[in-house]
Each structure stands twice: as C-alpha cells, then as structure tokens.
Amino acid sequence: MLRMPGMQAEMLRRAEVIKGVAESISPVDENSPDPGHYQRSWEAGSTSRGGRRRDRAVGYVRNTAYYARWVEYGTERVPAHHVLLRAAQIGGRN
C-alpha cells in the first residue's frame, strides 16, 4: 500500500503545494544579476523508492540554485530565511 500509484500521486500533490508556498515566500534580490533566480529554481517530485528502506512513496521539494542552502540557513553576514522550513509548515497543512 505504501508504494501504490495513488499514494505516490498524493505525495506529489503535497510536494507541489509546499513548492507553491516556497515560491511565494522566496526572497528576491533586485540588485542581483538575475533577480528571481532563487524563486524560479524550486522543484517538486515524488518517487516510490523513498524512506529508510526504500519501500514507500515520498514527495520531495528542493531548490537547485547553488546558493539555496545559504538562503535557507544563513551565513555569518546574512540572516537565515528558512524558506523551505516555513513552506513545509504552512503548506504541510493542506
């Protein structure tokens, strides 16, 4: 039951909801060479080979911008934005 197509579709639906929230709350630096790159770099997907034992459907959300981890967790000069954390908290309710 954990790998059924319906379960994988539901995990993808939930990941898409979280992705939509992440896109809407992503910071945009108007002074950068490519404003909005971080916001456009969100991806969502699902697989039936997830979990610790690779025996269940999972959904995932990720940002492909090379600097995404610095936006999420911050640096000593830049505060953390916690975009994915906040998106999961908000979008995970739907």
Side-chain angles (χ1 to χ4, degrees), residues 58-74:
V58 296
Y60 59 85
V61 181
R62 65 181 173 203
N63 192 300
T64 59
Y66 75 91
Y67 52 87
R69 70 175 179 195
W70 297 314
V71 174
E72 184 73 17
Y73 300 113

Side-chain angles (χ1 to χ4, degrees), residues 11 14-27 38-39 41-45 59-65 67-74 79-93:
M11 294 296 107
R14 291 177 183 220
E16 290 289 344
V17 168
I18 293 170
K19 175 188 167 204
V21 173
E23 288 173 339
S24 69
I25 64 173
S26 291
Y38 177 79
Q39 189 177 35
S41 296
W42 289 102
E43 292 181 352
Y60 59 85
V61 181
R62 65 181 173 203
N63 192 300
T64 59
Y67 52 87
R69 70 175 179 195
W70 297 314
V71 174
E72 184 73 17
Y73 300 113
H81 291 277
H82 299 297
V83 177
L84 187 55
L85 173 66
R86 292 184 298 138
Q89 290 172 337
I90 295 166
R93 297 182 191 135

